[in-house]
């Protein structure tokens, strides 16, 4: 248990190995009937994406059990969860050993309580295979203002120096430190990539007591490797905003995300409506066992009542896994490896025996991937989960008559 705030504290987890029994149990409980998790192939038996989160659960539970970060588990609300696979990551398999390296990236106060966020990396052997990000709210508990902070790592901004005045304005920034010989790169029309890490500490809810922003700036020439042209180093005390980030936000070029007109198009069909409905199990005990999330608000009616809940609430991650199984089937055509990012926002309470309905939409493209959004609702009620996923397009070939004779 931790008794002080340390933004640099690492939460390490190792020794998690995926077993065949664990895969079967999880899939049965969340209703994932994909053949990939039922029948081994010559390369082995696959495991669902949820196992990445399970590998990090012990480290995450440490934060929830800490009086510094979580104030105990009874008042904790899961806000969202995000897993993003690294490029080139192959599917999880039975026998894989997964380790985690996490860090608390945020402790801030909201009107409802203390919000804290955990981010980090997941590795298989020596290879980093995924990023994980998850956030919680400790209801009606608040941190001392001097203990609050926000870390914003891996911020990526792309800007274009359209005119000579833009070049001069950037050169004049004290926080912009060109590398030796790099000034020749700074010409009108140049596009720069900024990668920043920031640490903010608070003096009040709307005022920073200190800011530290560092990073690197690179150029991607038409040919050849990326060139490191500058560093960013900015530090100040009391401030309302981060001037580095504000400048880059004003100058950034549009992202590679293309959204469809309207709300996109539905991935459902009249024949799949009934298949997109699920019934929550009568008890949360089995999912608590397989996920290692033993928070008693999910399994004990007395603790649930003590926390002011109508009964033991179903794990948000059960709803997330159940919905992702539908995304696999109807958005990724039962090809789990195509899902490269999956995020769920928990917006409503789910109880045992509830009936849930999921609607899936293809809303656009992002860096060549399908951008899919979904909403899981109670049948006859409101939404309980909102999700988004980035899905690789399927391998496609265009063939035509006479192709062989032309060859």
């Amino acid at each position: 248990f931790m008794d002080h705030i340390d933004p640099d504290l690492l939460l390490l987890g190792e020794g998690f190995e995926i077993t065949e029994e664990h895969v079967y149990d999880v899939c049965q409980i969340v209703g994932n009937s994909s053949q990939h998790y039922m029948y081994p192939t010559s390369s082995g038996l696959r495991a669902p994406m949820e196992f990445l989160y399970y590998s990090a659960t012990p480290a995450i539970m440490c934060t929830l059990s800490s009086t510094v970060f979580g104030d105990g588990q009874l008042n904790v609300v899961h806000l969202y969860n995000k897993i993003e696979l690294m490029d080139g990551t192959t599917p999880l398999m039975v026998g894989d050993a997964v380790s985690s390296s996490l860090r608390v990236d945020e402790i801030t106060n909201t009107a409802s309580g203390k919000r804290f966020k955990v981010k980090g990396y997941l590795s298989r052997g020596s290879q980093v295979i995924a990023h994980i990000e998850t956030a919680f709210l400790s209801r009606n508990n608040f941190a001392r203002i001097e203990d609050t902070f926000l870390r914003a790592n891996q911020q990526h901004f792309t800007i274009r120096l359209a005119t000579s005045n833009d070049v001069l304005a950037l050169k004049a920034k004290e926080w912009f430190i060109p590398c030796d010989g790099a000034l020749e790169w700074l010409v009108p029309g140049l596009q720069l990539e900024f990668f920043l890490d920031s640490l903010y500490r608070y003096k009040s809810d709307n005022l920073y007591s200190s800011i530290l922003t560092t990073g690197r700036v690179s150029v991607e020439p038409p040919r050849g490797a990326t060139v490191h042209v500058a560093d960013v180093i900015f530090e100040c005390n009391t401030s309302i905003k981060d001037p580095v980030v504000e400048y880059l936000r004003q100058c950034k070029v549009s992202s590679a995300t293309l959204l469809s007109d309207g709300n996109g198009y539905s991935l459902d069909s009249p024949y799949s409506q009934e298949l997109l409905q699920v019934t929550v199990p009568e008890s949360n005990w089995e999912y608590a066992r397989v996920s290692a999330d033993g928070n008693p608000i999910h399994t004990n009616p007395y603790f649930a009542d003590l926390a002011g809940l109508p009964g033991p609430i179903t794990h948000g991650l059960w709803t997330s896994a159940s919905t992702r199984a539908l995304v696999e089937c109807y958005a990724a055509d039962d090809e789990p490896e195509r899902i490269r990012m999956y995020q769920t926002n928990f917006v409503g309470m789910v109880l045992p025996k509830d009936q849930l309905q999921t609607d899936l939409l293809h809303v656009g493209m992002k860096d060549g991937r399908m951008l899919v959004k979904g909403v899981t609702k109670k049948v006859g009620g409101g939404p309980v989960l909102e999700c988004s996923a980035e899905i690789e397009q399927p391998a496609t070939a265009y063939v035509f008559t006479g192709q062989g004779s032309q060859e």
Side-chain angles (χ1 to χ4, degrees), residues 80-145:
Y80 74 88
N81 190 57
K82 178 180 180 181
I83 294 176
E84 184 171 8
L85 300 181
M86 304 289 286
D87 290 343
T89 297
T90 55
L92 287 176
M93 306 293 291
V94 166
D96 284 348
V98 183
S99 59
S100 60
S101 177
L102 311 178
R103 183 166 57 187
V104 176
D105 267 18
E106 176 184 352
I107 299 180
T108 55
N109 289 323
T110 72
S112 302
K114 178 167 54 179
R115 171 188 164 99
F116 59 100
K117 178 171 64 179
V118 177
K119 291 180 66 175
Y121 299 96
L122 303 171
S123 301
R124 177 169 51 192
S126 60
Q127 179 189 16
V128 175
I129 59 174
H131 296 283
I132 187 172
E133 180 177 330
T134 187
F136 302 87
L137 178 74
S138 184
R139 297 178 300 160
N140 302 318
N141 292 301
F142 301 90
R144 297 179 303 173
I145 195 66

Side-chain angles (χ1 to χ4, degrees), residues 197-226:
D197 294 333
S198 300
L199 177 62
Y200 307 103
R201 288 189 174 276
Y202 289 86
K203 190 171 186 178
S204 66
D205 290 343
N206 300 310
L207 185 66
Y208 298 125
S209 64
S210 68
I211 297 175
L212 175 61
T213 294
T214 60
R216 59 184 285 137
V217 187
S218 61
V219 174
E220 293 188 9
R223 292 180 297 276
T226 299

Side-chain angles (χ1 to χ4, degrees), residues 13-25:
E14 56 184 13
F16 179 86
E17 183 173 338
I18 302 174
T19 67
E20 186 173 306
E21 181 182 8
H22 200 174
V23 171
Y24 289 148
D25 285 350

Side-chain angles (χ1 to χ4, degrees), residues 218-267:
S218 61
V219 174
E220 293 188 9
R223 292 180 297 276
T226 299
V227 179
H228 175 201
V229 296
D231 292 308
V232 173
I233 302 177
F234 176 78
E235 190 170 6
C236 76
N237 293 323
T238 305
S239 178
I240 296 177
K241 293 182 178 180
D242 182 342
V244 178
V245 172
E246 291 302 313
Y247 166 81
L248 295 176
R249 283 176 176 167
Q250 293 176 14
C251 300
K252 71 177 182 179
V253 298
S254 58
S255 70
T257 301
L258 302 174
L259 299 178
S260 302
D261 294 334
N263 294 322
Y265 66 90
S266 175
L267 295 172

